[in-house]
């Protein structure tokens, strides 16, 4: 009985790990960015001051929407179809996309936007 339970827990744990690995590979493939560098960039630019971002320490901001599950959202900011190019565009130029919204232009560099997009597409 106990053995069956242990096997079950190991299997579920293995599946979760495999799913996370899969999400990471997909995110890298569609963005060409680096997930770990993206995580560091999210901290560097202080995105967590306004957003809850799973896995990024200190990201508890409530100004903008939580970015949990952002990979699965249909539209970004309710406006841009959720695709890698649009994610990078939004992260770099939210004021050009939607003038007057509360997310500021943070001077995010091209390479950083790519890495940030890679991280965000692991959030599903
Ligand atoms: C001063 C607060 C603030 C900061 C800092 C900020 N954001 Fe935002 N962000 C917002 C707000 C407000 C929105 C919602 C805009 C809208 O829907 O019109 C938003 C929307 C978004 C969205 C779309 C979310 C969705 O559910 O569609 C993404 C992605 C995003 N921000 C990423 C970032 C990243 C990455 C950074 C750091 C480089 C960042 N934000 C920094 C306030 C902020």
């Amino acid at each position: 009985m106990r053995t069956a339970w242990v096997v079950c827990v190991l299997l579920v744990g293995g599946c979760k790990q495999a799913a996370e690995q899969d999400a990471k590979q997909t995110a890298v493939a569609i963005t060409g960015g680096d997930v770990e560098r993206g995580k560091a960039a999210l901290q560097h630019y202080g995105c967590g001051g306004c957003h809850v971002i799973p896995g990024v320490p200190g990201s508890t901001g409530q100004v903008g929407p939580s970015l949990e599950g952002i990979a699965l959202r249909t539209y970004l900011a309710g406006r841009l179809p959720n695709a890698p190019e649009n994610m990078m565009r939004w992260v770099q130029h939210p004021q050009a996309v939607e003038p007057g919204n509360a997310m500021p232009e943070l001077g995010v560099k091209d390479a950083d936007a790519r890495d940030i997009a890679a991280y965000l597409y692991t959030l599903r």
Side-chain angles (χ1 to χ4, degrees):
M1 189 60 199
R2 181 172 296 169
T3 313
W5 189 80
V6 169
V7 168
C8 188
V9 167
L10 286 176
L11 278 176
V12 171
C15 274
K16 187 161 179 277
Q17 235 175 25
E20 279 169 9
Q21 200 54 39
D22 198 44
K24 204 168 163 178
Q25 275 170 4
T26 305
V28 169
I30 62 175
T31 59
D34 182 284
V35 172
E36 289 309 316
R37 280 204 308 259
K39 184 174 174 176
L42 285 159
Q43 286 183 283
H44 171 77
Y45 288 105
C47 312
C50 288
H51 294 283
V52 169
I53 313 172
V56 178
S59 298
T60 55
Q62 296 292 340
V63 180
S66 166
L67 301 184
E68 181 172 13
I70 187 75
L72 303 175
R73 205 124 346 135
T74 308
Y75 288 97
L76 299 173
R79 176 172 285 254
L80 296 172
N82 189 357
E85 292 304 320
N86 284 338
M87 180 73 88
M88 292 178 228
R89 186 164 159 233
W90 174 265
V91 167
Q92 289 188 288
H93 299 298
Q95 291 301 320
V97 175
E98 193 182 332
N101 92 86
M103 179 161 155
E105 300 270 329
L106 293 164
V108 178
K109 296 197 184 84
D110 290 353
D112 293 338
R114 193 166 288 285
D115 294 337
I116 285 173
Y119 186 85
L120 294 180
Y121 279 119
T122 67
L123 303 178
R124 40 181 67 242

